[in-house]
Amino acid sequence: MNDSLRVVLAMIELELRRLRNDRTEVFTRAVQPVLWLVVFGTVFSQLHAIPTSGIPYVDYITPGVMLQSVLFVAVLYGLTLVWERDTGILKKLLVAPAPRYATVIGRSMSSGVRAIIQVVIIIPVALLLGVSFIPNPAYFVAALAILFVISGGFAALSIIVASLLKTRERFMGIGQALILPLFFASNALYPIASMPRAIQIVAVFNPLTYAVDAVRGLMITGNLALLPLDVAVIALFDILMFAVASLSFRKIIE
Amino acid sequence: MTFAIDARGLEKVYKGNVAALAGVDLDVKAGDIFALLGPNGAGKTTLMRILTTQFKPTSGEAHIFDLDVVRDGAEVRKVIGYVPQETSVWSDINGYENLLIYAKIYGLPSRSRKDVIHDMLESMGLRAPAEHLVKTYSGGMVRKLEIACAMLIRPKILFLDEPTLGLDPAARIAVWEKLVSFKEEFGTTVFFSTHYMDEANAYSDEVAIINTGRMVTSGTADELKHSLRGELIKFSLSDHRVDEHTLGRIRGLEPVKSVVVTDSTLNVTVEDAETALPCVMDALRSEGIPVERITTTKPTLEDVFLWYAGTTRAPGAASSIGRVEGKAGGTRRE
Ligand SMILES: Nc1ncnc2c1ncn2[C@@H]1O[C@H](COP(=O)(O)OP(=O)(O)OP(=O)(O)O)[C@@H](O)[C@H]1O
Ligand SMILES: [Mg+2]
């Protein structure tokens, strides 16, 4: 256990160190969420087309856009494992004195580092657009923690998908095929109540829904009624993804 | 005697029915430098990955210092260092950071971590570029950094998959000097694969040759060279015919293994050319046969390699046997 935690922390530190030398990617990745907020957010805000129980639409979708960004970063990060299969890094990590699942969890959780950076870039943009956050540092930190943890689950999900890929081709396509359904079949852009019945069912089984609800409650609405459920679902999702990813990892390394 | 590696009947069948290993037995003595030679696709990397616990053999078993690679994988991983064939350092952080992250992954105590890393940078000659991004390193520097990472925990055995691939001769020597010093200083066993025969010849205590998933031979480099039929002495005779009587006499000499006459050359195969030469010369002189020129050819490790692995035991392989003959001079085994 101690070994595993050590490995996970080392991999998170690695990601922080890599980030220092790779700043352009941080900003190019931020373009998409910022456009969502600035264009989509402000346009729909004026249309008043979506029932948001009183809060401005830009405020409503800010957590959704944050989670979309987290999802995007995490899924692509996990898929890069297919690339690393062809380098020696993965092989060398496997030979380190740590359980294999620690490598998988470490890899997955370090996607959270990149994800949080994206969120941190989105916040000033949201503030400029007049989004009002709940000024409670504890809530804020809790929201970041949720974003960080769900990122690990999504990265593990994409490791599972990566283990099924034989080649690197269709890499981006697979990424999109994973991200877009999760994003649109969730409460990121509109309340579940306003969805068609079929999509509602998908949204209920979509872990993103729970993360959006938690972050929206902690950052924007202050409605924490479902927070315990949200946290439980996210934890369960992560554990499940880590477990399956650890098992399917064998396929990647052989 | 403890063996650093002890493997019996290792087989590995990859998905798609590629039989990469077809029953490999291997003994590597503790503290030895052991060279694994074999053509592309022979199974060197597969063998190394099984021994380093990356995946299980399809059948057979292997022990590293008496630890079973399948059952005691976690324990095995504590005593081995490994440098894969492909690059295994992060190129977007610097050399020091690479060592730091590996030190943390390996769980080096934080008190001694910095010292160990600095010693390692120093001993691998990487102190100056330690703060540079690994992206900017040359191939030789990358290899040294990888070996440094693998040596951080002072492993009992170091597995190196083609450690000097693509390095210039000076960089290769530098890498090998370090490896030999690890062996001498810490008693580290070194198990490496290579396509450079001179390296195996110069630095290894033992050599094994693997071909199509089977060990075809092993021994010290000298033993292997002697295992070919011997050394060849060629006497160029100034247009003199050697009669049957003389031939018989030479054939009868103690150290001579075989004699073949072609045109005006007499090819004598012996165990050891230096000691055999005087007595063959005596015989020729007493028969009154003048010798114009003498050349001796000793088999090299390359000849050994070509002999054992140059042919894939497939039809049409005769030409590469011919190469062995041409080079080492009739050193074919009967
Ligand atoms: N992951 C894999 N999946 C399927 N087949 C594989 C895999 N790795 C290796 N092989 C096959 O197994 C055989 C042995 O390969 P291996 O990489 O062990 O050879 P090698 O001796 O290391 O060769 P080289 O000198 O080219 O590195 C080859 O036929 C190779 O194509
Ligand atoms: Mg290989």
Side-chain angles (χ1 to χ4, degrees):
Chain A
M1 192 60 214
N2 201 12
D3 279 357
S4 317
L5 188 63
R6 198 182 67 223
V7 170
V8 172
L9 291 178
M11 293 183 98
I12 290 173
E13 177 182 344
L14 165 69
E15 210 48 46
L16 284 166
R17 288 178 181 274
R18 296 171 84 173
L19 213 60
R20 277 207 316 228
N21 305 308
D22 187 19
R23 293 197 193 117
T24 46
E25 202 198 284
V26 170
F27 290 106
T28 49
R29 281 265 172 87
V31 171
Q32 195 184 340
V34 166
L35 283 178
W36 269 99
L37 270 191
V38 174
V39 180
F40 195 81
T42 48
V43 168
F44 274 73
S45 225
Q46 262 142 44
L47 289 178
H48 299 288
I50 295 164
T52 55
S53 50
I55 54 172
Y57 188 67
V58 187
D59 294 40
Y60 183 83
I61 65 160
T62 295
V65 169
M66 285 177 176
L67 270 149
Q68 182 221 30
S69 192
V70 167
L71 178 65
F72 193 82
V73 167
V75 165
L76 291 190
Y77 190 84
L79 285 176
T80 51
L81 215 65
V82 191
W83 248 294
E84 274 179 21
R85 171 175 58 188
D86 300 339
T87 75
I89 291 178
L90 213 54
K91 291 178 188 155
K92 194 147 124 183
L93 286 175
L94 290 174
V95 175
R100 208 148 279 184
Y101 66 82
T103 308
V104 173
I105 297 176
R107 265 306 291 224
S108 304
M109 289 315 294
S110 47
S111 74
V113 171
R114 300 218 168 225
I116 290 299
I117 300 284
Q118 297 302 312
V119 170
V120 168
I121 296 177
I122 292 171
I123 288 170
V125 178
L127 285 172
L128 281 177
L129 294 174
V131 173
S132 61
F133 290 97
I134 294 176
N136 181 335
Y139 277 21
F140 189 75
V141 170
L144 289 188
I146 285 186
L147 291 164
F148 186 75
V149 170
I150 190 94
S151 172
F154 285 132
L157 170 66
S158 85
I159 288 176
I160 298 167
V161 174
S163 74
L164 304 173
L165 291 183
K166 290 254 168 354
T167 59
R168 301 173 183 176
E169 280 136 50
R170 286 179 248 125
F171 177 89
M172 280 310 262
I174 301 268
Q176 298 289 354
L178 213 53
I179 293 164
L180 293 181
L182 282 170
F183 179 51
F184 286 113
S186 80
N187 56 349
L189 299 177
Y190 24 75
I192 293 184
S194 62
M195 295 176 188
R197 184 100 186 94
I199 300 180
Q200 272 183 1
I201 293 166
V202 178
V204 167
F205 285 99
N206 184 351
L208 196 70
T209 299
Y210 299 87
V212 171
D213 183 70
V215 175
R216 189 173 282 146
L218 289 164
M219 281 189 164
I220 308 291
T221 64
N223 175 3
L224 304 183
L226 293 176
L227 189 63
L229 172 70
D230 296 336
V231 171
V233 169
I234 292 166
L236 196 69
F237 170 67
D238 270 30
I239 291 169
L240 191 68
M241 288 303 113
F242 290 157
V244 179
S246 300
L247 292 176
S248 63
F249 199 46
R250 265 190 33 201
K251 283 211 198 96
I252 299 186
I253 56 185
E254 218 184 83
Chain B
M1 160 126 246
T2 40
F3 282 100
I5 304 176
D6 164 14
R8 293 287 159 260
L10 285 184
E11 291 183 15
K12 175 69 196 177
V13 181
Y14 282 113
K15 270 194 306 277
N17 276 339
V18 185
L21 296 182
V24 166
D25 295 335
L26 181 67
D27 288 314
V28 176
K29 292 192 213 79
D32 266 9
I33 294 185
F34 194 103
L36 181 64
L37 308 179
N40 292 125
K44 301 182 295 298
T45 299
T46 303
L47 175 59
M48 224 173 264
R49 294 188 71 194
I50 288 173
L51 294 176
T52 53
T53 77
Q54 294 176 54
F55 48 71
K56 294 178 194 151
T58 309
S59 65
E61 58 179 57
H63 293 86
I64 305 294
F65 288 102
D66 294 333
L67 298 166
D68 188 300
V69 294
V70 177
R71 280 200 314 272
D72 316 316
E75 294 302 310
V76 171
R77 287 193 283 272
K78 286 184 185 152
V79 299
I80 63 177
Y82 167 60
V83 178
Q85 189 168 348
E86 308 87 358
T87 306
S88 64
V89 283
W90 291 286
S91 59
D92 44 8
I93 54 177
N94 67 37
Y96 173 82
E97 290 174 313
N98 264 284
L99 285 164
L100 184 69
I101 295 293
Y102 272 120
K104 290 186 175 180
I105 289 174
Y106 285 127
L108 257 65
S110 53
R111 281 166 282 110
S112 58
R113 202 185 286 145
K114 276 220 161 72
D115 291 339
V116 173
I117 293 174
H118 281 119
D119 285 355
M120 201 44 82
L121 284 168
E122 182 76 53
S123 98
M124 294 307 285
L126 289 172
R127 239 183 40 161
E131 305 290 323
H132 299 172
L133 288 187
V134 172
K135 257 182 216 148
T136 65
Y137 283 22
S138 71
M141 286 154 75
V142 167
R143 262 325 195 205
K144 283 189 202 160
L145 180 61
E146 289 173 326
I147 293 170
C149 289
M151 277 304 291
L152 274 178
I153 53 161
R154 298 275 150 77
K156 284 161 91 173
I157 178 166
L158 199 50
F159 288 90
L160 306 167
D161 202 345
E162 301 192 26
T164 54
L165 182 73
L167 301 195
D168 72 46
R172 280 170 57 196
I173 290 172
V175 163
W176 273 107
E177 276 173 357
K178 291 300 165 226
L179 292 172
V180 169
S181 81
F182 289 144
K183 169 192 153 153
E184 281 166 1
E185 211 175 317
F186 311 117
T188 315
T189 308
V190 179
F191 182 83
F192 74 105
S193 71
T194 186
H195 290 299
Y196 297 116
M197 299 300 135
D198 56 330
E199 231 168 63
N201 198 33
Y203 302 108
S204 68
D205 299 303
E206 249 191 271
V207 180
I209 298 179
I210 185 172
N211 194 14
T212 57
R214 285 192 178 78
M215 285 298 179
V216 283
T217 187
S218 68
T220 66
D222 281 338
E223 279 167 8
L224 293 189
K225 285 184 271 185
H226 281 128
S227 77
L228 299 188
R229 215 178 78 182
E231 304 178 2
L232 178 79
I233 316 177
K234 274 188 183 188
F235 299 89
S236 307
L237 312 171
S238 42
D239 106 284
H240 226 273
R241 303 243 353 226
V242 186
D243 55 53
E244 276 308 316
H245 167 72
T246 315
L247 267 184
R249 189 172 161 186
I250 295 173
R251 277 205 182 96
L253 290 171
E254 223 277 328
V256 172
K257 293 184 155 185
S258 75
V259 183
V260 178
V261 189
T262 54
D263 301 333
S264 57
T265 359
L266 180 69
N267 299 290
V268 182
T269 311
V270 296
E271 179 80 32
D272 178 64
E274 272 90 13
T275 55
L277 186 55
C279 91
V280 180
M281 271 310 288
D282 281 350
L284 286 170
R285 209 173 279 134
S286 72
E287 294 293 334
I289 299 171
V291 175
E292 209 165 55
R293 190 182 143 84
I294 305 170
T295 49
T296 59
T297 329
K298 294 178 179 236
T300 62
L301 199 53
E302 200 150 86
D303 299 321
V304 176
F305 180 86
L306 291 172
W307 168 252
Y308 285 103
T311 69
T312 44
R313 289 168 181 39
S319 66
S320 60
I321 291 181
R323 258 164 72 209
V324 176
E325 240 177 344
K327 258 188 133 165
T331 54
R332 285 182 63 180
R333 248 190 188 177
E334 233 85 278

